[in-house]
Amino acid sequence: MAINTSGFGAYDIRGIYPESVNQELAYRVGRIFPKLFDAKKIAIGHDIRLSGSTIADALTRGLTEAGADVYDIGQCGTEMIYFATGFNDFDGGIMVTASHNPKEYNGLKFVRKNVIPIAPKTGLLDIKAAIEDENFDWGFRKATGTVYKIDVLHDYIKKLLSYVDVKNLKPLKVVVNTGNGAAGPIINEIEKFLPFEIIKIHNNTNGFFPNGVPNPLLKESRVATSNAVIEHGADCGIAFDGDFDRCFLFDEQGNFIEGCYMVSLLAEAFLKKNPGAKIVCEPRALLSTLDIVEKLGGKAIICRSGHTYMKAVLREENAIYGGEMASHHYFRDFYYCDSGMITWLMILELLSQTDKKLSEIMADMIKNFPVSGEINTKVDSTDTVKKIMAKVEEIYAPKGVSVSKIDGVSVDFENWRFNLRGSQTEPYIRLNVESRGDKALMETKRDEILAVIRS
């Protein structure tokens, strides 16, 4: 197969199979990875995409020919590769997945020893360069590596359950939509240990995604979960993306809960158990999180969004938790990695500790800190992004109380703030606006800034 490196992105390799992600690419990655990262023991796995096992086989052949031992955990979610790598002290892990992308996509995500993510500045571009280098020294180790089929499910489930006090959980009714992705088998297993009545929808794994793309950030992908919550009178709803490193939350009325509020909920859950702990959040929408962290005596650390940045700051600060509004949630004691499974368990534990309904818990937060949600505007080039950013900054920065460029540009005013940033992976400029207790002000400023962007 032809080699095409166009799938190398900001965080991983991702593209359409077999044009840009195929067996030849996976084989070459396998041949290169052990040498670049001095990796002798490597965990691999794949999600439920139709090309997953084929790509994993080619990857395995490359890794073993390069002398590495492969520990194959089979069909799984991305966070299970993180767990397998950290729990077994492997030298690296590679997950075959395209996360929430449509069925024709596939890709590869990487971690090195100690479950440290491999990004462009920490090795991803080195992999790309080696694949493209016709004179790369492929070399062989003294012996071909061995393939071991391993099962990490028992230990993984045990780790997940360590985050909650199972005996104090209430018998809540919960709708869980796995989107025909890799989360289905894990939900089937973990429910044996929980008191919840779990109503499963789209739970059978199916790489054709017969019920739509498993991406709950898309409004059309939320309808089934919302409807099921209302139909069954559930206490809440949970929906996962394809490789279940993200989960999304719905209240008992079927309302989708914005990701920034989930960060606030998890910050509260951790600070109740760990007073004074550090919480990492991102600048897109953070007022509700800062309020909770301050009230509960924690320390908030603001970090650029993106999993490589968040994980690095968690390690540097020894922060107990970090979260993004895109619903990546990171846990210090889960190898500083993101987990969709720990997320929903902790939120349901929080719900078990109160007699309030989830909508009631959220009402004050939403009233006190209304948000626009992320509004995307498609652009034609990175130059256009730069021009728009400069124009918006020119208009608003002089009037603001403070300006931050941790991630894009954030301008804070007395009663409201906004963040504007270019996407790392798509041709979009993204706007978030929030206010302190004034929804009308937030909406006015949202429309005002959008008019500048789209002019």
Side-chain angles (χ1 to χ4, degrees):
M1 290 183 172
I3 283 293
N4 179 344
T5 57
S6 63
F8 279 78
Y11 307 117
D12 53 31
I13 301 173
R14 204 176 300 186
I16 293 175
Y17 175 86
E19 288 85 351
S20 57
V21 175
N22 55 38
Q23 291 93 306
E24 181 63 24
L25 178 71
Y27 170 75
R28 293 196 185 191
V29 167
R31 286 294 307 278
I32 290 161
F33 191 92
K35 181 173 182 177
L36 286 180
F37 303 103
D38 191 27
K40 300 176 179 63
K41 295 182 177 181
I42 301 166
I44 73 161
H46 61 87
D47 67 15
I48 49 74
R49 292 171 187 274
L50 304 179
S51 57
S53 60
T54 302
I55 292 174
D57 288 345
L59 174 66
T60 298
R61 185 163 58 88
L63 290 168
T64 53
E65 287 186 13
D69 290 336
V70 170
Y71 295 80
D72 184 358
I73 70 172
Q75 180 183 293
C76 62
T78 296
E79 66 185 66
M80 294 177 72
I81 287 294
Y82 300 153
F83 174 78
T85 304
F87 184 77
N88 295 289
D89 195 27
F90 290 151
D91 302 315
I94 304 175
M95 176 67 184
V96 179
T97 180
S99 186
H100 57 275
N101 288 96
K103 62 184 179 181
E104 61 269 22
Y105 282 75
N106 216 324
L108 299 159
K109 294 182 178 181
F110 307 95
V111 291
R112 61 199 307 169
K113 191 173 180 63
N114 298 321
V115 207
I116 296 173
I118 295 173
K121 293 182 179 179
T122 56
L124 191 60
L125 291 181
D126 295 327
I127 297 173
K128 181 175 183 284
I131 287 173
E132 294 172 339
D133 183 3
E134 295 181 3
N135 299 314
F136 182 79
D137 179 13
W138 292 90
F140 283 86
R141 296 183 187 267
K142 293 181 180 179
T144 300
T146 302
V147 179
Y148 301 93
K149 300 285 187 179
I150 64 170
D151 185 354
V152 301
L153 184 61
H154 172 78
D155 291 319
Y156 166 67
I157 294 291
K158 185 177 179 182
K159 182 66 174 178
L160 298 179
L161 293 173
S162 73
Y163 270 84
V164 295
D165 185 355
V166 174
K167 67 180 183 297
N168 287 325
L169 296 176
K170 289 182 179 179
L172 302 170
K173 184 185 288 189
V174 187
V175 167
V176 176
N177 181 356
T178 60
N180 301 114
I186 308 306
I187 294 299
N188 293 343
E189 183 63 24
I190 201 169
E191 73 170 332
K192 300 173 185 176
F193 305 95
L194 299 169
F196 307 139
E197 178 186 347
I198 297 180
I199 299 152
K200 305 170 193 173
I201 60 174
H202 306 161
N203 197 60
N204 295 328
T205 58
N206 189 331
F208 287 104
F209 297 142
N211 295 292
V213 178
N215 180 11
L217 282 179
L218 302 176
K219 289 185 178 180
E220 61 268 25
S221 296
R222 303 173 189 171
V223 175
T225 310
S226 180
N227 288 345
V229 168
I230 295 168
E231 177 186 349
H232 294 279
D235 294 294
C236 66
I238 304 294
F240 291 95
D241 67 356
D243 63 338
F244 71 84
D245 57 358
R246 295 185 298 160
C247 83
F248 302 80
L249 185 63
F250 297 75
D251 69 18
E252 82 286 352
Q253 298 174 4
N255 298 314
F256 178 80
I257 294 175
E258 292 288 347
C260 60
Y261 298 133
M262 289 181 67
V263 176
S264 302
L265 288 173
L266 286 163
E268 178 180 352
F270 273 107
L271 289 170
K272 283 183 174 179
K273 295 181 179 182
N274 306 273
K278 295 178 180 178
I279 304 294
V280 179
C281 57
E282 47 138 338
R284 283 186 284 181
L286 47 64
L287 291 179
S288 63
T289 300
L290 294 181
D291 180 66
I292 281 175
V293 172
E294 182 180 354
K295 285 178 179 176
L296 296 180
K299 180 182 178 182
I301 299 165
I302 302 173
C303 168
R304 181 178 177 180
S305 63
H307 81 108
T308 57
Y309 306 109
M310 297 289 290
K311 290 171 182 177
V313 170
L314 249 73
R315 287 177 187 272
E316 291 166 7
E317 298 286 346
N318 196 33
I320 198 165
Y321 160 74
E324 297 179 281
M325 62 179 292
S327 285
H328 282 286
H329 300 278
Y330 307 89
F331 305 92
R332 181 185 65 193
D333 297 331
F334 192 71
Y335 312 102
Y336 300 95
C337 289
D338 36 337
S339 167
M341 289 293 165
I342 294 172
T343 298
W344 79 276
L345 289 174
M346 289 199 67
I347 286 176
L348 263 68
E349 182 182 46
L350 197 66
L351 192 56
S352 295
Q353 295 168 351
T354 177
D355 292 327
K356 291 184 177 181
K357 295 180 179 180
L358 185 54
S359 64
E360 294 171 338
I361 294 173
M362 300 310 305
D364 285 344
M365 197 180 294
I366 294 170
K367 179 182 177 182
N368 293 336
F369 303 102
V371 300
S372 65
E374 189 151 83
I375 304 167
N376 296 311
T377 301
K378 195 166 186 177
V379 294
D380 55 13
S381 70
T382 54
D383 285 340
T384 302
V385 170
K386 291 176 183 177
K387 290 176 183 177
I388 293 171
M389 298 272 287
K391 184 64 176 177
V392 171
E393 184 177 353
E394 177 188 338
I395 294 171
Y396 289 95
K399 306 172 187 175
V401 174
S402 65
V403 178
S404 167
K405 295 190 178 181
I406 291 174
D407 194 354
V409 59
S410 300
V411 183
D412 283 71
F413 299 83
E414 185 176 350
N415 293 317
W416 70 286
R417 68 183 297 276
F418 75 87
N419 171 267
L420 185 66
R421 62 193 284 272
S423 169
Q424 295 293 309
T425 57
E426 299 173 291
Y428 289 97
I429 190 165
R430 309 189 190 281
L431 173 68
N432 285 275
V433 184
E434 55 183 337
S435 74
R436 292 176 175 85
D438 192 335
K439 185 178 180 181
L441 175 65
M442 179 275 292
E443 291 174 342
T444 298
K445 295 301 181 182
R446 174 200 64 196
D447 295 344
E448 187 180 286
I449 298 170
L450 278 176
V452 174
I453 291 170
R454 293 173 178 176
S455 66

